[in-house]
Amino acid sequence: MSCAISSTAVSFISPAAEVDFDLNSTTKGILNGAPFLGMVLGAYFWGICGDIKGRRTVILGSMGMDTLFTILSSLVQHVELFFLIRVGNGFAIIGASCMVYVYFGEFLTPSKRDSYLLFLELFWAFGMMVAPGLAMVIIPSNIVFFSSIYFKFNAWRFFILLTSIPSLISFIWIYQYPETPRFLMFRGYLIKSRDVLEQIYLVNNKYTTKPYSVQIFTQTHSAIWFDAGFIGGIPFIKNVKRRLTVLKNGHKTLFSKYFRNIIVACTIEFCLMASYITILVWVPELFSRYSNYKQQNTDGVNLCTASEWHLVNYSMFAGQTVSGNAYLAALLVACSSIPLVLLTGIIIKYCNKKILLSITCGVPVVFALLVTITHNDLQAELMCCLFEGFTSLTEPIIFCTIVELFPSNVRGVAFSMIVMTGRLGAIFGIIVFGILIDISCIMTFYALALLLLIAFLAVAFLPKLKIGGGH
Protein backbone atom coordinates (compact mmCIF):
# COMPACT_ATOMS: atom_id res chain seq x y z
CA MET A 1 0.00 0.00 0.00
CA SER A 2 2.84 2.38 0.88
CA CYS A 3 4.53 1.65 -2.45
CA ALA A 4 1.34 2.36 -4.41
CA ILE A 5 0.71 5.63 -2.59
CA SER A 6 4.30 6.87 -2.90
CA SER A 7 4.61 5.89 -6.58
CA THR A 8 1.48 7.72 -7.72
CA ALA A 9 1.06 10.62 -5.24
CA VAL A 10 2.48 13.15 -7.72
CA SER A 11 -0.23 12.35 -10.27
CA PHE A 12 -2.91 13.49 -7.81
CA ILE A 13 -1.31 16.85 -7.06
CA SER A 14 -0.32 17.84 -10.61
CA PRO A 15 -3.67 19.53 -11.48
CA ALA A 16 -3.58 21.50 -8.20
CA ALA A 17 0.16 22.32 -8.35
CA GLU A 18 -0.20 23.65 -11.89
CA VAL A 19 -0.21 27.30 -10.78
CA ASP A 20 2.32 26.97 -7.92
CA PHE A 21 4.88 25.26 -10.15
CA ASP A 22 3.82 26.79 -13.52
CA LEU A 23 3.25 23.38 -15.12
CA ASN A 24 2.13 22.41 -18.62
CA SER A 25 1.34 18.92 -19.95
CA THR A 26 4.99 18.17 -20.76
CA THR A 27 6.32 19.30 -17.37
CA LYS A 28 3.51 17.38 -15.65
CA GLY A 29 4.66 14.28 -17.51
CA ILE A 30 8.27 14.87 -16.42
CA LEU A 31 7.17 15.43 -12.82
CA ASN A 32 5.01 12.28 -12.86
CA GLY A 33 7.99 10.35 -14.23
CA ALA A 34 10.30 11.47 -11.39
CA PRO A 35 9.57 8.54 -9.01
CA PHE A 36 10.05 6.05 -11.82
CA LEU A 37 13.42 7.55 -12.75
CA GLY A 38 14.43 6.97 -9.13
CA MET A 39 13.19 3.39 -9.38
CA VAL A 40 15.44 2.75 -12.37
CA LEU A 41 18.43 4.10 -10.43
CA GLY A 42 17.58 2.11 -7.30
CA ALA A 43 16.62 -1.33 -8.67
CA TYR A 44 20.11 -2.85 -8.75
CA PHE A 45 21.29 -1.04 -5.61
CA TRP A 46 18.57 -2.53 -3.44
CA GLY A 47 18.91 -5.94 -5.13
CA ILE A 48 22.59 -6.12 -4.18
CA CYS A 49 21.88 -4.85 -0.65
CA GLY A 50 19.15 -7.49 -0.30
CA ASP A 51 21.68 -10.25 -0.97
CA ILE A 52 24.35 -8.75 1.29
CA LYS A 53 22.46 -7.24 4.23
CA GLY A 54 19.10 -9.04 4.10
CA ARG A 55 15.56 -8.61 2.82
CA ARG A 56 14.22 -7.08 6.06
CA THR A 57 17.05 -4.51 6.16
CA VAL A 58 16.24 -3.37 2.61
CA ILE A 59 12.55 -2.92 3.41
CA LEU A 60 13.38 -0.96 6.58
CA GLY A 61 15.85 1.27 4.74
CA SER A 62 13.42 1.76 1.87
CA MET A 63 10.48 2.70 4.10
CA GLY A 64 12.59 5.01 6.27
CA MET A 65 14.04 6.87 3.28
CA ASP A 66 10.63 7.18 1.64
CA THR A 67 9.16 8.70 4.82
CA LEU A 68 11.96 11.28 4.99
CA PHE A 69 11.83 12.21 1.28
CA THR A 70 8.03 12.51 1.34
CA ILE A 71 8.10 14.93 4.27
CA LEU A 72 10.78 17.01 2.54
CA SER A 73 8.86 17.08 -0.76
CA SER A 74 5.80 18.51 1.02
CA LEU A 75 7.88 21.48 2.19
CA VAL A 76 9.91 22.50 -0.89
CA GLN A 77 8.81 25.54 -2.87
CA HIS A 78 10.64 25.08 -6.19
CA VAL A 79 9.66 22.59 -8.87
CA GLU A 80 13.28 21.58 -9.64
CA LEU A 81 13.94 20.62 -6.01
CA PHE A 82 10.56 18.89 -5.80
CA PHE A 83 11.50 16.83 -8.88
CA LEU A 84 14.85 15.78 -7.36
CA ILE A 85 13.28 14.77 -4.05
CA ARG A 86 10.57 12.71 -5.79
CA VAL A 87 13.36 10.97 -7.71
CA GLY A 88 14.68 10.14 -4.23
CA ASN A 89 11.23 8.79 -3.32
CA GLY A 90 11.35 6.47 -6.31
CA PHE A 91 14.90 5.38 -5.46
CA ALA A 92 13.73 4.53 -1.93
CA ILE A 93 10.40 2.88 -2.68
CA ILE A 94 11.65 0.45 -5.34
CA GLY A 95 13.55 -1.41 -2.62
CA ALA A 96 10.36 -2.28 -0.77
CA SER A 97 8.31 -2.68 -3.99
CA CYS A 98 10.57 -5.54 -5.13
CA MET A 99 11.85 -6.96 -1.85
CA VAL A 100 8.39 -7.41 -0.32
CA TYR A 101 7.77 -10.19 -2.87
CA VAL A 102 11.07 -11.87 -1.98
CA TYR A 103 10.58 -11.33 1.78
CA PHE A 104 7.04 -12.70 1.80
CA GLY A 105 7.81 -15.47 -0.71
CA GLU A 106 10.69 -16.85 1.41
CA PHE A 107 8.25 -17.53 4.25
CA LEU A 108 5.89 -19.53 1.99
CA THR A 109 5.76 -23.09 0.71
CA PRO A 110 5.69 -23.57 -3.11
CA SER A 111 2.05 -24.72 -3.10
CA LYS A 112 0.88 -21.38 -1.65
CA ARG A 113 3.43 -19.02 -3.15
CA ASP A 114 1.69 -18.06 -6.42
CA SER A 115 -1.73 -17.29 -4.94
CA TYR A 116 -0.37 -15.49 -1.86
CA LEU A 117 2.01 -13.32 -3.88
CA LEU A 118 -0.78 -12.50 -6.30
CA PHE A 119 -2.97 -11.39 -3.40
CA LEU A 120 -0.31 -8.79 -2.56
CA GLU A 121 -1.67 -6.98 -5.61
CA LEU A 122 -4.87 -6.41 -3.60
CA PHE A 123 -2.96 -4.19 -1.24
CA TRP A 124 -1.48 -2.24 -4.15
CA ALA A 125 -5.11 -1.65 -5.17
CA PHE A 126 -6.02 -0.62 -1.60
CA GLY A 127 -3.14 1.86 -1.67
CA MET A 128 -4.42 3.16 -4.98
CA MET A 129 -7.81 3.68 -3.31
CA VAL A 130 -6.39 5.46 -0.25
CA ALA A 131 -4.41 7.98 -2.35
CA PRO A 132 -7.27 9.36 -4.50
CA GLY A 133 -9.64 9.05 -1.51
CA LEU A 134 -7.40 11.35 0.53
CA ALA A 135 -6.83 13.62 -2.46
CA MET A 136 -10.58 13.90 -3.09
CA VAL A 137 -11.18 15.10 0.48
CA ILE A 138 -8.14 17.37 0.93
CA ILE A 139 -7.00 18.90 -2.37
CA PRO A 140 -10.30 20.40 -3.70
CA SER A 141 -10.67 22.32 -0.40
CA ASN A 142 -7.76 24.52 -1.57
CA ILE A 143 -6.98 25.46 2.05
CA VAL A 144 -3.85 27.56 2.57
CA PHE A 145 -2.36 26.71 5.99
CA PHE A 146 0.48 29.18 5.72
CA SER A 147 1.57 31.66 3.09
CA SER A 148 4.40 34.17 2.84
CA ILE A 149 6.75 35.46 0.15
CA TYR A 150 9.16 32.56 0.63
CA PHE A 151 7.04 29.71 1.95
CA LYS A 152 3.57 28.39 1.23
CA PHE A 153 1.89 25.33 2.72
CA ASN A 154 -1.47 24.58 1.14
CA ALA A 155 -3.88 21.66 0.62
CA TRP A 156 -1.89 19.64 -1.94
CA ARG A 157 1.27 19.92 0.16
CA PHE A 158 -0.66 18.70 3.19
CA PHE A 159 -1.83 15.73 1.08
CA ILE A 160 1.81 14.91 0.22
CA LEU A 161 2.73 15.13 3.92
CA LEU A 162 -0.03 12.66 4.84
CA THR A 163 1.25 10.15 2.27
CA SER A 164 4.38 9.71 4.42
CA ILE A 165 2.33 8.04 7.19
CA PRO A 166 1.88 4.58 5.52
CA SER A 167 5.65 4.26 5.00
CA LEU A 168 6.30 5.25 8.61
CA ILE A 169 3.77 2.66 9.85
CA SER A 170 5.35 0.04 7.54
CA PHE A 171 8.79 0.80 9.00
CA ILE A 172 7.51 0.36 12.56
CA TRP A 173 5.72 -2.90 11.78
CA ILE A 174 8.47 -4.53 9.72
CA TYR A 175 10.96 -3.62 12.46
CA GLN A 176 9.11 -6.09 14.71
CA TYR A 177 9.37 -8.97 12.21
CA PRO A 178 12.37 -11.28 11.71
CA GLU A 179 14.63 -11.81 8.73
CA THR A 180 13.54 -14.64 6.42
CA PRO A 181 14.76 -18.10 7.50
CA ARG A 182 15.90 -18.84 3.95
CA PHE A 183 18.22 -15.83 3.84
CA LEU A 184 19.58 -16.64 7.31
CA MET A 185 20.33 -20.20 6.16
CA PHE A 186 22.19 -18.93 3.09
CA ARG A 187 24.23 -16.58 5.27
CA GLY A 188 25.19 -19.48 7.53
CA TYR A 189 23.12 -18.33 10.52
CA LEU A 190 21.57 -21.74 11.06
CA ILE A 191 20.66 -21.23 14.72
CA LYS A 192 18.94 -17.92 13.94
CA SER A 193 17.11 -19.57 11.04
CA ARG A 194 15.88 -22.34 13.33
CA ASP A 195 14.72 -19.75 15.89
CA VAL A 196 12.63 -17.96 13.24
CA LEU A 197 11.06 -21.23 12.07
CA GLU A 198 10.33 -22.14 15.69
CA GLN A 199 8.64 -18.75 16.09
CA ILE A 200 6.49 -19.49 13.03
CA TYR A 201 5.66 -22.95 14.36
CA LEU A 202 4.54 -21.54 17.73
CA VAL A 203 2.35 -18.87 16.12
CA ASN A 204 0.77 -21.36 13.70
CA ASN A 205 0.15 -23.90 16.49
CA LYS A 206 -0.89 -21.72 19.42
CA TYR A 207 -2.56 -24.50 21.39
CA THR A 208 -0.09 -27.32 20.82
CA THR A 209 2.01 -28.71 23.64
CA LYS A 210 4.49 -30.36 21.27
CA PRO A 211 7.82 -28.53 20.91
CA TYR A 212 9.28 -27.68 17.51
CA SER A 213 10.77 -30.96 16.35
CA VAL A 214 13.74 -29.73 14.26
CA GLN A 215 16.85 -29.35 16.41
CA ILE A 216 19.73 -29.14 13.94
CA PHE A 217 20.17 -27.69 10.43
CA THR A 218 22.95 -28.65 8.04
CA GLN A 219 24.40 -26.42 5.34
CA THR A 220 23.67 -27.46 1.73
CA HIS A 221 26.26 -27.11 -1.03
CA SER A 222 24.38 -24.20 -2.62
CA ALA A 223 24.19 -22.37 0.70
CA ILE A 224 27.90 -22.92 1.36
CA TRP A 225 28.68 -21.44 -2.10
CA PHE A 226 26.35 -18.50 -1.47
CA ASP A 227 27.86 -17.87 1.95
CA ALA A 228 31.51 -18.07 0.90
CA GLY A 229 33.16 -14.88 2.11
CA PHE A 230 30.52 -13.99 4.69
CA ILE A 231 31.53 -16.43 7.45
CA GLY A 232 35.10 -15.10 7.46
CA GLY A 233 33.83 -11.58 8.22
CA ILE A 234 34.82 -9.92 4.94
CA PRO A 235 34.15 -6.14 5.11
CA PHE A 236 31.10 -4.61 3.44
CA ILE A 237 33.01 -2.96 0.56
CA LYS A 238 34.68 -6.26 -0.38
CA ASN A 239 31.29 -7.94 -0.24
CA VAL A 240 29.93 -5.29 -2.61
CA LYS A 241 32.80 -5.90 -5.05
CA ARG A 242 32.18 -9.64 -4.80
CA ARG A 243 28.48 -9.12 -5.46
CA LEU A 244 29.23 -6.94 -8.48
CA THR A 245 31.40 -9.75 -9.87
CA VAL A 246 28.56 -12.20 -9.26
CA LEU A 247 26.20 -9.70 -10.93
CA LYS A 248 28.46 -9.51 -14.01
CA ASN A 249 28.68 -13.31 -14.22
CA GLY A 250 24.93 -13.54 -13.74
CA HIS A 251 24.37 -11.25 -16.71
CA LYS A 252 26.67 -13.38 -18.85
CA THR A 253 24.73 -16.52 -17.92
CA LEU A 254 21.42 -14.73 -18.37
CA PHE A 255 22.19 -13.54 -21.89
CA SER A 256 23.66 -16.86 -23.01
CA LYS A 257 21.54 -19.71 -21.59
CA TYR A 258 18.35 -17.73 -20.93
CA PHE A 259 18.52 -15.07 -23.63
CA ARG A 260 15.03 -15.62 -25.03
CA ASN A 261 13.37 -15.71 -21.60
CA ILE A 262 14.92 -12.46 -20.38
CA ILE A 263 14.26 -10.57 -23.65
CA VAL A 264 10.62 -11.70 -23.73
CA ALA A 265 10.04 -10.96 -20.03
CA CYS A 266 11.63 -7.49 -20.33
CA THR A 267 9.58 -6.72 -23.44
CA ILE A 268 6.33 -7.67 -21.69
CA GLU A 269 7.24 -5.65 -18.58
CA PHE A 270 8.31 -2.56 -20.57
CA CYS A 271 5.12 -2.50 -22.66
CA LEU A 272 2.92 -3.26 -19.65
CA MET A 273 4.31 -0.50 -17.43
CA ALA A 274 4.41 2.01 -20.30
CA SER A 275 0.63 1.59 -20.67
CA TYR A 276 -0.64 0.60 -17.19
CA ILE A 277 1.24 3.25 -15.19
CA THR A 278 0.63 5.92 -17.83
CA ILE A 279 -3.15 5.63 -17.57
CA LEU A 280 -2.90 5.35 -13.79
CA VAL A 281 -1.02 8.62 -13.30
CA TRP A 282 -2.87 10.59 -16.01
CA VAL A 283 -6.42 9.69 -14.95
CA PRO A 284 -6.75 12.62 -12.47
CA GLU A 285 -5.55 15.11 -15.11
CA LEU A 286 -7.75 13.71 -17.90
CA PHE A 287 -10.91 13.68 -15.79
CA SER A 288 -10.08 17.09 -14.35
CA ARG A 289 -10.15 18.36 -17.93
CA TYR A 290 -13.44 16.55 -18.55
CA SER A 291 -14.93 18.12 -15.41
CA ASN A 292 -13.96 21.57 -16.72
CA TYR A 293 -15.61 20.73 -20.05
CA LYS A 294 -18.86 19.70 -18.29
CA GLN A 295 -19.02 23.02 -16.44
CA GLN A 296 -19.52 24.86 -19.74
CA ASN A 297 -21.15 22.20 -21.97
CA THR A 298 -24.10 19.84 -21.72
CA ASP A 299 -23.38 17.47 -24.61
CA GLY A 300 -21.39 14.27 -24.00
CA VAL A 301 -18.08 13.75 -25.80
CA ASN A 302 -15.11 11.41 -25.52
CA LEU A 303 -12.10 12.12 -23.30
CA CYS A 304 -9.97 13.41 -26.16
CA THR A 305 -12.55 15.93 -27.37
CA ALA A 306 -12.96 17.24 -23.81
CA SER A 307 -9.17 17.47 -23.44
CA GLU A 308 -8.85 19.43 -26.69
CA TRP A 309 -11.64 21.80 -25.59
CA HIS A 310 -9.85 22.34 -22.25
CA LEU A 311 -6.61 23.32 -24.03
CA VAL A 312 -8.42 25.94 -26.13
CA ASN A 313 -10.18 27.39 -23.06
CA TYR A 314 -7.38 26.85 -20.54
CA SER A 315 -7.24 30.48 -19.30
CA MET A 316 -10.85 30.18 -18.11
CA PHE A 317 -9.81 27.67 -15.41
CA ALA A 318 -6.42 29.02 -14.29
CA GLY A 319 -6.20 28.94 -10.47
CA GLN A 320 -9.56 27.19 -10.12
CA THR A 321 -10.10 24.54 -7.44
CA VAL A 322 -9.68 21.01 -8.81
CA SER A 323 -12.95 19.09 -9.01
CA GLY A 324 -13.40 16.11 -6.68
CA ASN A 325 -14.73 14.16 -9.71
CA ALA A 326 -11.17 13.81 -11.02
CA TYR A 327 -10.11 11.99 -7.86
CA LEU A 328 -13.32 9.96 -7.74
CA ALA A 329 -12.46 8.67 -11.23
CA ALA A 330 -8.99 7.63 -9.99
CA LEU A 331 -10.59 5.93 -6.97
CA LEU A 332 -12.96 3.92 -9.17
CA VAL A 333 -10.10 2.92 -11.49
CA ALA A 334 -8.14 1.68 -8.46
CA CYS A 335 -11.12 -0.37 -7.24
CA SER A 336 -11.48 -2.05 -10.63
CA SER A 337 -8.58 -4.45 -10.09
CA ILE A 338 -9.89 -5.95 -6.83
CA PRO A 339 -12.49 -8.40 -8.27
CA LEU A 340 -10.06 -9.58 -10.97
CA VAL A 341 -7.21 -10.06 -8.49
CA LEU A 342 -9.46 -12.15 -6.23
CA LEU A 343 -10.62 -14.25 -9.18
CA THR A 344 -7.09 -14.72 -10.56
CA GLY A 345 -5.76 -15.60 -7.10
CA ILE A 346 -8.14 -18.55 -7.11
CA ILE A 347 -7.72 -19.75 -10.70
CA ILE A 348 -3.93 -19.35 -10.89
CA LYS A 349 -3.63 -22.74 -9.15
CA TYR A 350 -5.54 -24.41 -11.98
CA CYS A 351 -4.69 -22.32 -15.05
CA ASN A 352 -1.49 -22.03 -17.09
CA LYS A 353 0.16 -18.66 -16.34
CA LYS A 354 0.97 -18.22 -20.04
CA ILE A 355 -2.76 -18.21 -20.82
CA LEU A 356 -3.36 -15.71 -18.01
CA LEU A 357 -0.65 -13.41 -19.37
CA SER A 358 -2.19 -13.59 -22.85
CA ILE A 359 -5.54 -12.51 -21.41
CA THR A 360 -4.14 -9.67 -19.26
CA CYS A 361 -2.13 -8.26 -22.18
CA GLY A 362 -4.61 -8.92 -25.00
CA VAL A 363 -8.01 -7.91 -23.61
CA PRO A 364 -6.97 -4.35 -22.56
CA VAL A 365 -6.00 -3.58 -26.18
CA VAL A 366 -9.72 -3.45 -26.98
CA PHE A 367 -10.52 -1.13 -24.05
CA ALA A 368 -7.70 1.29 -24.95
CA LEU A 369 -9.21 1.65 -28.43
CA LEU A 370 -12.76 1.99 -27.08
CA VAL A 371 -11.77 4.97 -24.88
CA THR A 372 -11.49 7.07 -28.05
CA ILE A 373 -15.09 6.42 -29.14
CA THR A 374 -16.92 6.84 -25.81
CA HIS A 375 -19.71 9.40 -25.61
CA ASN A 376 -19.45 10.62 -22.00
CA ASP A 377 -17.21 10.56 -18.94
CA LEU A 378 -19.03 7.56 -17.42
CA GLN A 379 -18.27 5.40 -20.45
CA ALA A 380 -14.66 6.62 -20.49
CA GLU A 381 -14.34 5.79 -16.79
CA LEU A 382 -15.69 2.28 -17.40
CA MET A 383 -13.18 1.68 -20.22
CA CYS A 384 -10.32 2.94 -18.01
CA CYS A 385 -11.49 0.67 -15.17
CA LEU A 386 -11.53 -2.39 -17.42
CA PHE A 387 -8.17 -1.43 -18.93
CA GLU A 388 -6.50 -1.03 -15.53
CA GLY A 389 -8.26 -4.03 -14.03
CA PHE A 390 -6.72 -6.43 -16.55
CA THR A 391 -3.30 -4.81 -16.90
CA SER A 392 -2.82 -4.63 -13.10
CA LEU A 393 -2.71 -8.45 -13.03
CA THR A 394 0.20 -8.78 -15.46
CA GLU A 395 3.09 -7.74 -13.20
CA PRO A 396 2.28 -10.07 -10.25
CA ILE A 397 1.80 -12.96 -12.70
CA ILE A 398 5.21 -12.14 -14.25
CA PHE A 399 6.76 -12.10 -10.75
CA CYS A 400 5.29 -15.55 -10.11
CA THR A 401 6.55 -16.69 -13.53
CA ILE A 402 10.16 -15.56 -12.89
CA VAL A 403 10.52 -18.48 -10.47
CA GLU A 404 9.97 -20.85 -13.40
CA LEU A 405 11.81 -18.95 -16.10
CA PHE A 406 15.14 -18.56 -14.29
CA PRO A 407 17.15 -20.76 -11.88
CA SER A 408 18.08 -19.42 -8.43
CA ASN A 409 21.64 -18.47 -9.44
CA VAL A 410 20.42 -15.83 -11.95
CA ARG A 411 16.93 -15.15 -10.58
CA GLY A 412 17.94 -12.05 -8.61
CA VAL A 413 19.71 -10.53 -11.63
CA ALA A 414 16.74 -11.34 -13.86
CA PHE A 415 14.30 -9.85 -11.36
CA SER A 416 16.29 -6.60 -11.07
CA MET A 417 16.62 -6.28 -14.85
CA ILE A 418 12.92 -6.94 -15.48
CA VAL A 419 11.85 -4.45 -12.80
CA MET A 420 14.27 -1.81 -14.10
CA THR A 421 13.03 -2.30 -17.68
CA GLY A 422 9.44 -1.90 -16.47
CA ARG A 423 10.25 1.40 -14.76
CA LEU A 424 11.97 2.63 -17.92
CA GLY A 425 8.75 1.77 -19.71
CA ALA A 426 6.77 3.78 -17.14
CA ILE A 427 9.02 6.83 -17.67
CA PHE A 428 8.70 6.44 -21.44
CA GLY A 429 4.91 6.13 -21.30
CA ILE A 430 4.31 8.98 -18.85
CA ILE A 431 6.52 11.51 -20.63
CA VAL A 432 5.49 10.55 -24.17
CA PHE A 433 1.82 10.66 -23.13
CA GLY A 434 2.41 14.14 -21.67
CA ILE A 435 3.89 15.33 -24.95
CA LEU A 436 1.37 13.65 -27.27
CA ILE A 437 -1.82 14.27 -25.27
CA ASP A 438 -1.89 17.91 -26.39
CA ILE A 439 -0.84 17.12 -29.97
CA SER A 440 -3.04 14.12 -30.81
CA CYS A 441 -4.96 12.61 -27.92
CA ILE A 442 -6.52 9.82 -29.99
CA MET A 443 -3.15 8.71 -31.37
CA THR A 444 -1.89 8.50 -27.76
CA PHE A 445 -4.48 5.85 -26.91
CA TYR A 446 -3.70 4.02 -30.15
CA ALA A 447 -0.04 3.98 -29.05
CA LEU A 448 -1.00 2.48 -25.68
CA ALA A 449 -3.01 -0.22 -27.47
CA LEU A 450 -0.02 -0.94 -29.73
CA LEU A 451 2.29 -1.39 -26.72
CA LEU A 452 -0.06 -3.94 -25.18
CA LEU A 453 -0.42 -5.71 -28.52
CA ILE A 454 3.39 -6.10 -28.62
CA ALA A 455 3.29 -7.53 -25.08
CA PHE A 456 0.50 -9.93 -26.12
CA LEU A 457 2.56 -11.18 -29.08
CA ALA A 458 5.67 -11.50 -26.88
CA VAL A 459 3.83 -13.87 -24.50
CA ALA A 460 3.71 -16.44 -27.32
CA PHE A 461 7.52 -16.70 -27.17
CA LEU A 462 7.56 -17.73 -23.51
CA PRO A 463 8.27 -21.42 -22.83
CA LYS A 464 5.55 -23.67 -21.51
CA LEU A 465 4.74 -22.78 -17.89
CA LYS A 466 3.56 -25.04 -15.12
CA ILE A 467 0.07 -24.96 -13.66
CA GLY A 468 -0.12 -24.04 -9.98
CA GLY A 469 2.69 -23.37 -7.59
CA GLY A 470 4.75 -26.54 -7.74
CA HIS A 471 8.04 -25.12 -8.96
Side-chain angles (χ1 to χ4, degrees):
M1 288 178 67
S2 302
C3 295
I5 292 167
S6 183
S7 300
T8 58
V10 176
S11 69
F12 300 114
I13 63 104
S14 58
E18 191 173 298
V19 175
D20 289 346
F21 284 158
D22 190 25
L23 302 176
N24 56 37
S25 295
T26 302
T27 51
K28 284 178 185 177
I30 293 170
L31 212 56
N32 282 328
F36 298 96
L37 175 59
M39 291 178 189
V40 171
L41 299 175
Y44 276 114
F45 170 80
W46 290 115
I48 293 169
C49 286
D51 277 350
I52 296 174
K53 304 301 288 183
R55 288 65 163 109
R56 174 178 173 272
T57 303
V58 164
I59 296 175
L60 285 173
S62 174
M63 294 286 93
M65 285 176 64
D66 185 65
T67 303
L68 176 63
F69 282 129
T70 302
I71 293 170
L72 288 174
S73 68
S74 71
L75 302 175
V76 298
Q77 304 296 301
H78 301 287
V79 67
E80 296 85 2
L81 190 54
F82 184 85
F83 173 84
L84 289 174
I85 292 174
R86 292 314 294 193
V87 170
N89 275 104
F91 181 90
I93 208 67
I94 193 64
S97 299
C98 299
M99 204 54 65
V100 68
Y101 282 91
V102 179
Y103 183 75
F104 190 34
E106 289 186 354
F107 281 102
L108 297 170
T109 56
S111 61
K112 294 179 177 172
R113 193 175 296 134
D114 280 356
S115 54
Y116 275 54
L117 290 180
L118 187 66
F119 279 130
L120 277 185
E121 187 69 16
L122 273 179
F123 294 91
W124 172 275
F126 292 152
M128 288 305 305
M129 291 163 61
V130 169
L134 267 178
M136 185 169 57
V137 173
I138 295 169
I139 296 177
S141 67
N142 217 23
I143 297 172
V144 179
F145 295 92
F146 182 84
S147 182
S148 70
I149 298 174
Y150 303 106
F151 184 81
K152 184 178 182 181
F153 192 80
N154 50 4
W156 70 260
R157 288 186 169 94
F158 181 59
F159 164 75
I160 290 290
L161 181 64
L162 288 181
T163 61
S164 69
I165 295 174
S167 290
L168 179 61
I169 293 171
S170 300
F171 178 89
I172 293 168
W173 279 350
I174 292 292
Y175 187 81
Q176 300 174 61
Y177 279 79
E179 184 55 83
T180 72
R182 180 179 176 83
F183 175 79
L184 291 171
M185 282 184 193
F186 274 144
R187 284 292 302 268
Y189 302 131
L190 302 185
I191 296 174
K192 285 185 180 179
S193 182
R194 185 203 170 278
D195 290 343
V196 173
L197 288 169
E198 184 177 28
Q199 232 181 306
I200 294 169
Y201 172 79
L202 292 173
V203 170
N204 288 346
N205 300 276
K206 290 180 181 177
Y207 304 107
T208 187
T209 55
K210 297 179 181 178
Y212 185 54
S213 59
V214 179
Q215 297 300 317
I216 299 172
F217 289 154
T218 57
Q219 196 91 325
T220 64
H221 288 294
S222 61
I224 291 169
W225 172 84
F226 184 91
D227 191 50
F230 287 110
I231 297 173
I234 288 179
F236 178 79
I237 296 300
K238 286 190 177 179
N239 273 329
V240 170
K241 289 179 179 177
R242 176 180 168 275
R243 284 288 158 210
L244 289 173
T245 302
V246 172
L247 196 66
K248 182 183 73 174
N249 294 336
H251 279 85
K252 286 182 179 178
T253 304
L254 200 60
F255 283 96
S256 55
K257 294 183 180 180
Y258 306 99
F259 179 79
R260 187 180 75 170
N261 287 0
I262 190 64
I263 292 297
V264 171
C266 285
T267 301
I268 295 170
E269 182 75 358
F270 181 92
C271 295
L272 161 74
M273 298 300 279
S275 51
Y276 164 66
I277 293 292
T278 297
I279 291 293
L280 203 60
V281 302
W282 277 99
V283 157
E285 174 67 22
L286 287 171
F287 283 93
S288 177
R289 292 182 179 188
Y290 205 108
S291 178
N292 291 340
Y293 173 85
K294 285 177 70 175
Q295 287 180 32
Q296 305 293 328
N297 302 274
T298 56
D299 56 317
V301 293
N302 64 52
L303 265 183
C304 289
T305 303
S307 177
E308 289 162 3
W309 181 92
H310 170 88
L311 292 173
V312 173
N313 300 276
Y314 168 76
S315 58
M316 191 187 302
F317 304 98
Q320 182 179 293
T321 300
V322 180
S323 169
N325 292 335
Y327 302 113
L328 179 61
L331 180 63
L332 292 173
V333 167
C335 294
S336 65
S337 63
I338 293 176
L340 289 169
V341 170
L342 288 170
L343 178 62
T344 308
I346 295 168
I347 67 173
I348 196 170
K349 292 182 178 180
Y350 313 104
C351 185
N352 190 304
K353 288 191 280 292
K354 190 170 178 178
I355 294 173
L356 290 176
L357 283 172
S358 297
I359 293 170
T360 59
C361 292
V363 173
V365 173
V366 178
F367 300 127
L369 296 173
L370 288 176
V371 168
T372 62
I373 58 170
T374 52
H375 295 99
N376 53 55
D377 55 340
L378 184 62
Q379 291 178 5
E381 212 166 288
L382 178 62
M383 292 304 105
C384 288
C385 283
L386 291 169
F387 179 91
E388 291 293 296
F390 279 95
T391 54
S392 67
L393 295 171
T394 307
E395 187 164 54
I397 295 173
I398 286 177
F399 287 168
C400 293
T401 303
I402 288 172
V403 179
E404 288 185 53
L405 293 179
F406 308 101
S408 57
N409 63 321
V410 295
R411 195 174 293 151
V413 176
F415 195 92
S416 296
M417 180 169 288
I418 291 167
V419 168
M420 186 183 73
T421 305
R423 271 54 192 182
L424 283 171
I427 295 169
F428 171 81
I430 291 168
I431 294 177
V432 170
F433 193 98
I435 295 169
L436 292 181
I437 193 70
D438 293 348
I439 298 172
S440 178
C441 176
I442 289 177
M443 288 305 296
T444 306
F445 282 96
Y446 288 167
L448 294 177
L450 178 62
L451 284 167
L452 282 174
L453 182 61
I454 293 169
F456 172 76
L457 296 173
V459 172
F461 292 92
L462 286 173
K464 187 177 180 181
L465 300 172
K466 296 175 184 176
I467 295 174
H471 303 316

